[in-house]
Each structure stands twice: as structure tokens, then as C-alpha cells.
Amino acid sequence: MAWSFAFPTYQERVLWRMSAIAITCTPWLGLLTAPLLAALDASLTLFILFYGSYIMLYITARGVLLVLMFTTLRDLPPDAYQAVLWTSLVPHL
């Protein structure tokens, strides 16, 4: 979807893509890590370390996307400023 959207700078596009990948993959990593650590009979400290890093990665990626969402509003295409004639979209008017 938004993978090929136009971003104001190259760095913002890369940040958006990295954050989108992190948000998509982090829950799956959490689901796959639990049985693996249980099978290896890992300690509670290792569980906390892994899941703490997953949670921090997810929160950071969400924050980056939230900031990017507002910063990309500074460079809107000209079509975004055109007025919409809403009455032309209602068939009975």
C-alpha cells in the first residue's frame, strides 16, 4: 500500500519502511520466541530480556510512524488543497 508512497526525503521513506517492517515482524518474533525459549529451558531473565527488547522495538517503531505521519503533512501534493464539491457525489441532489 504505502510502500511506494512519495515521501519528502529519502531518510523518511527508509524510516517508514523500517518501522513498518518492525511493527509487522515483532509480534511474530514474540510468538516464535516463547516456544523456542521454553524448549531450551531458558531462564526467566532471558525471557524478560527478549520480550523487553521486542516491546521497546515495537513502541519505538510506532512512535516513529506517528511522528512521520505528521511530518509528511508539510509537503502535500497540490491536489490535496483542492476543494471537493460534495454535493456532486450525492446522486439525489
Side-chain angles (χ1 to χ4, degrees):
M1 287 187 148
W3 195 261
S4 59
F5 278 2
F7 287 91
T9 64
Y10 175 74
Q11 290 84 8
E12 288 174 349
R13 181 175 59 210
V14 171
L15 271 174
W16 187 90
R17 288 180 178 180
M18 288 176 17
S19 297
I21 290 171
I23 286 175
T24 304
C25 294
T26 303
W28 290 103
L29 284 173
L31 288 174
L32 296 174
T33 302
L36 179 66
L37 290 176
L40 294 175
D41 201 24
S43 67
L44 181 62
T45 307
L46 197 56
F47 272 103
I48 293 172
L49 180 69
F50 272 105
Y51 282 100
S53 63
Y54 291 157
I55 290 169
M56 291 306 298
L57 175 65
Y58 189 83
I59 291 172
T60 303
R62 279 286 180 187
V64 167
L65 285 180
L66 184 67
V67 169
L68 284 174
M69 177 179 64
F70 288 111
T71 58
T72 54
L73 290 175
R74 74 178 185 273
D75 191 29
L76 289 175
D79 293 339
Y81 298 107
Q82 291 180 353
V84 178
L85 297 173
W86 294 107
T87 55
S88 67
L89 300 175
V90 181
H92 63 278
L93 290 180

